[in-house]
Amino acid sequence: MQKYVESVQLKDAGLLNSALEKRKEATMYAQGDPGYYAIGKANEAVLLGHHIGDGLAAYEASQMALEFVKPFAKADKKWKSIFRFSPLYDCFGFIGLWAESYEKTIRYAEQANKWVSLPNNADRIKQLKHYQKSGLPWWKMQHSMAQNFYSRTRPELDAGKYAAGMSILHCIIERAITEQPGYEIYSDDMFDLLDDFIILSLQTYNGILKKFTEALNHNPDLKYVDGPTEQFIVFQSPVLSWLQLMPDCPSKWKPTMQKHYEVFTASSYPVYPQIMQKIKEYL
């Protein structure tokens, strides 16, 4: 539990890489206890999905947590009495954001009914089945979920939860690249998603940097911390997806990608310079 507390403190100071490592340590120490191991994985998933923006890793951690759902539920009661929140509730509440199909998302939502009380869960299941029957591609359903966390076109609807939106786009883009069922996406739509993915990573980073700056005012020793190593973790998935997609970049999207490239390379600290150099070759 102490390592989780330390992880939260690190996260709140903008030290994401160390926060993730601390949560992984906590999970490792709990390997002999399936319930607390599941809690560790659920806590990793929240950090990955809602602060770092890595949806695929968040999904994997959530799945591993729910493999031990019975001991997870037992340990969750004690955890909730101490920390006043339920990792089991969070896990069931978020896993559907990152799942790879209607079937999986519906299955998790139905399973949740046995263990936690998610608000409007029956309506959610009904809605998912409706859109599945209508033939709406799964990636479009996921994209609509992502837009609950951010909006680039309507400021009044922008929830400002950029890493959370980013994690869903990560799942969509990477599964489309590997041609998974439900992720058949035309090139123009793909680069529209990539554009959002890159922008959200920058907005996420700005929020992290603000936390770090505020923490530095209270702890001068933080000036010795390697900020890029701690914070550039939010750029890892976007720049890798960006590089993978650039060989097929339509000409209409190249000016937008050029602008993003200029923003990334204008940083005082190089952002994955080797990858950015390869991206430049396609601009």
Side-chain angles (χ1 to χ4, degrees), residues 46-98:
V46 169
L47 184 64
L48 286 160
H50 291 270
H51 300 279
I52 293 173
D54 188 333
L56 292 180
Y59 183 48
E60 181 181 3
S62 299
Q63 288 179 298
M64 293 175 73
L66 292 178
E67 287 178 7
F68 306 96
V69 66
K70 190 173 181 178
F72 187 179
K74 184 178 179 180
D76 187 73
K77 291 179 182 178
K78 184 176 180 181
W79 184 276
K80 188 177 179 180
S81 70
I82 298 170
F83 290 103
R84 306 300 178 190
F85 78 93
S86 165
L88 182 67
Y89 179 95
D90 286 347
C91 200
F92 274 119
F94 297 141
I95 193 169
L97 299 174
W98 310 308

Side-chain angles (χ1 to χ4, degrees), residues 9-68:
Q9 293 169 342
L10 289 163
K11 170 187 69 71
D12 290 343
L15 308 180
L16 288 188
N17 193 62
S18 290
L20 181 59
E21 290 304 313
K22 193 65 69 174
R23 292 200 189 190
K24 287 181 177 179
E25 284 179 33
T27 305
M28 181 186 68
Y29 283 122
Q31 280 184 326
D33 185 325
Y36 277 96
Y37 177 82
I39 284 177
K41 282 296 174 185
N43 286 335
E44 286 178 35
V46 169
L47 184 64
L48 286 160
H50 291 270
H51 300 279
I52 293 173
D54 188 333
L56 292 180
Y59 183 48
E60 181 181 3
S62 299
Q63 288 179 298
M64 293 175 73
L66 292 178
E67 287 178 7
F68 306 96

Side-chain angles (χ1 to χ4, degrees), residues 47-280:
L47 184 64
L48 286 160
H50 291 270
H51 300 279
I52 293 173
D54 188 333
L56 292 180
Y59 183 48
E60 181 181 3
S62 299
Q63 288 179 298
M64 293 175 73
L66 292 178
E67 287 178 7
F68 306 96
V69 66
K70 190 173 181 178
F72 187 179
K74 184 178 179 180
D76 187 73
K77 291 179 182 178
K78 184 176 180 181
W79 184 276
K80 188 177 179 180
S81 70
I82 298 170
F83 290 103
R84 306 300 178 190
F85 78 93
S86 165
L88 182 67
Y89 179 95
D90 286 347
C91 200
F92 274 119
F94 297 141
I95 193 169
L97 299 174
W98 310 308
E100 66 266 59
S101 65
Y102 281 106
E103 291 82 5
K104 284 282 184 72
T105 303
I106 291 168
R107 192 181 310 156
Y108 283 123
E110 290 175 339
Q111 184 186 10
N113 287 330
K114 182 179 177 181
W115 300 101
V116 295
S117 180
L118 294 177
N120 306 312
N121 199 41
D123 289 341
R124 182 166 176 263
I125 293 169
K126 184 178 179 180
Q127 184 185 54
L128 285 165
K129 289 181 176 179
H130 166 75
Y131 283 113
Q132 181 185 31
K133 189 176 180 180
S134 75
L136 182 73
W138 172 240
W139 77 265
K140 289 191 175 182
M141 188 70 219
Q142 270 191 306
H143 190 208
S144 71
M145 293 179 191
Q147 290 170 318
N148 290 324
F149 297 104
Y150 77 96
S151 175
R152 291 184 60 195
T153 56
R154 297 183 62 183
E156 72 276 12
L157 297 180
D158 185 2
K161 298 177 179 180
Y162 303 124
M166 184 180 151
S167 70
I168 302 173
L169 297 185
H170 180 221
C171 292
I172 296 172
I173 291 170
E174 283 302 307
R175 289 173 182 152
I177 288 172
T178 56
E179 300 181 346
Q180 294 189 34
Y183 293 90
E184 298 83 8
I185 304 177
Y186 290 115
S187 182
D188 194 51
D189 288 330
M190 180 69 89
F191 276 85
D192 189 41
L193 293 168
L194 179 63
D195 181 35
D196 277 9
F197 195 23
I198 294 168
I199 288 292
L200 291 182
S201 72
L202 290 165
Q203 290 172 313
T204 298
Y205 172 71
N206 287 338
I208 296 163
L209 191 58
K210 182 179 178 182
K211 285 183 178 181
F212 181 71
T213 302
E214 290 172 354
L216 185 60
N217 291 332
H218 301 288
N219 183 0
D221 288 342
L222 288 177
K223 66 184 178 181
Y224 301 111
V225 168
D226 185 348
T229 296
E230 291 288 349
Q231 298 152 7
F232 283 6
I233 189 172
V234 300
F235 294 130
Q236 186 174 44
S237 297
V239 298
L240 287 172
S241 296
W242 189 0
L243 177 59
Q244 287 176 290
L245 290 170
M246 277 309 295
D248 300 314
C249 182
S251 57
K252 64 174 282 189
W253 279 100
K254 286 196 174 181
T256 299
M257 295 300 121
Q258 175 68 38
K259 289 179 183 177
H260 291 326
Y261 173 82
E262 290 169 1
V263 170
F264 273 75
T265 54
S267 170
S268 302
Y269 301 95
V271 179
Y272 294 100
Q274 293 180 328
I275 299 175
M276 296 308 301
Q277 183 59 38
K278 291 178 182 178
I279 288 171
K280 182 182 179 183

